[in-house]
Amino acid sequence: GETTELKPSTTVSTGAQVGSDYTATAPQAGEVLKQGELEYVLEGRKADSAAETGKVKADNQEIIYEYVPKQGGNVEVKYVILGTETNLKDPVTLVTNGQVGSSYTATKENTLTKDGLVYELVKTNNGLKEGSATETGKVTEAKQEVVYEYAPKVGGNVEIKYVIAGTETNLKDPVTLVTNGQVGSDYTATKDITIRKEDGRVYKLVEANNGLKEGSATETGKVTTEKQTVTYEYELQNGDVTVKYE
């Protein structure tokens, strides 16, 4: 195959008498040479190379030392909940046994879901946790970890309304059930079977659809990115008045 020189060749003997002795100086064990950013470590003298010490011959002789890519530490990518070491998904080994000096580029997702809850990449420092390895970089001798942090994704509020059937008239003040809840978290609305107004009139929860107005959010559900309104409808409860003459 093609041979790439990592440093200039040196001449051990020039114009020496055939049969005279020569001695080459071997590189130090573990010597590292670079080609650009890439590092190579001495493996040893090539199998078909001339010996390090020997006799000068009529033909040219070459002493060749071979270097192999220097193996570095792995590069791992983690995706954790902000302020914790809790993984939102399994870490990814981006580079295994890579050459020291070779490039890597980590990738991230804007949102991740764990156990139904949604988390979003933090906006500071490109999402990287303090002390994390850089998003793009070079393989080094030591293992490196690129760590992205995610915070709970804040969703829309969940509000409960209690209205007169067929109208938007509130029988009592709406209740904000969830404020700044995490997207994917649970909510459960509550209702009154009857509501009594100050004037004494009593309104009863309509029986159809569990009392929910058409188009209402469900009674139990998940926080979403949008605001949700659970609307219960009530109708005036009529009673008979009987006058007796005894």
Side-chain angles (χ1 to χ4, degrees), residues 82 108 110-111 119-128 148-154:
L82 178 66
K108 58 183 181 283
N110 288 325
T111 60
Y119 298 81
E120 61 182 352
L121 187 71
V122 299
K123 294 179 173 58
T124 56
N125 196 30
N126 207 27
L128 292 171
Y148 292 108
E149 286 192 308
Y150 290 77
K153 183 176 177 65
V154 176

Side-chain angles (χ1 to χ4, degrees), residues 104-237:
Y104 72 81
T105 300
T107 57
K108 58 183 181 283
E109 298 175 64
N110 288 325
T111 60
L112 291 172
T113 302
K114 182 180 177 67
D115 299 329
L117 299 175
V118 179
Y119 298 81
E120 61 182 352
L121 187 71
V122 299
K123 294 179 173 58
T124 56
N125 196 30
N126 207 27
L128 292 171
K129 185 174 184 175
E130 184 178 351
S132 165
T134 55
E135 194 166 34
T136 60
K138 303 289 186 183
V139 173
T140 61
E141 291 187 41
K143 178 183 177 181
Q144 299 179 84
E145 288 184 343
V146 182
V147 184
Y148 292 108
E149 286 192 308
Y150 290 77
K153 183 176 177 65
V154 176
N157 291 353
V158 179
E159 186 179 66
I160 311 175
K161 287 186 175 182
Y162 309 85
V163 303
I164 296 173
T167 77
E168 296 297 327
T169 303
N170 291 313
L171 285 170
K172 66 177 185 177
D173 290 338
V175 175
T176 301
L177 180 64
V178 179
T179 303
N180 298 329
Q182 184 175 3
V183 174
S185 59
D186 297 317
Y187 73 81
T188 300
T190 58
K191 58 183 180 283
D192 298 312
I193 300 303
T194 60
I195 297 176
R196 182 181 293 273
K197 298 294 288 180
E198 291 179 358
D199 60 8
R201 286 179 295 175
V202 176
Y203 291 82
K204 183 178 180 181
L205 185 72
V206 299
E207 294 179 0
N209 196 28
N210 205 28
L212 292 171
K213 183 175 182 176
E214 185 177 350
S216 166
T218 55
E219 196 166 32
T220 61
K222 304 284 188 183
V223 174
T224 64
T225 55
E226 304 298 326
K227 177 182 177 181
Q228 298 178 85
T229 304
V230 181
T231 307
Y232 292 108
E233 286 192 307
Y234 292 77
E235 54 192 3
L236 185 62
Q237 186 172 15

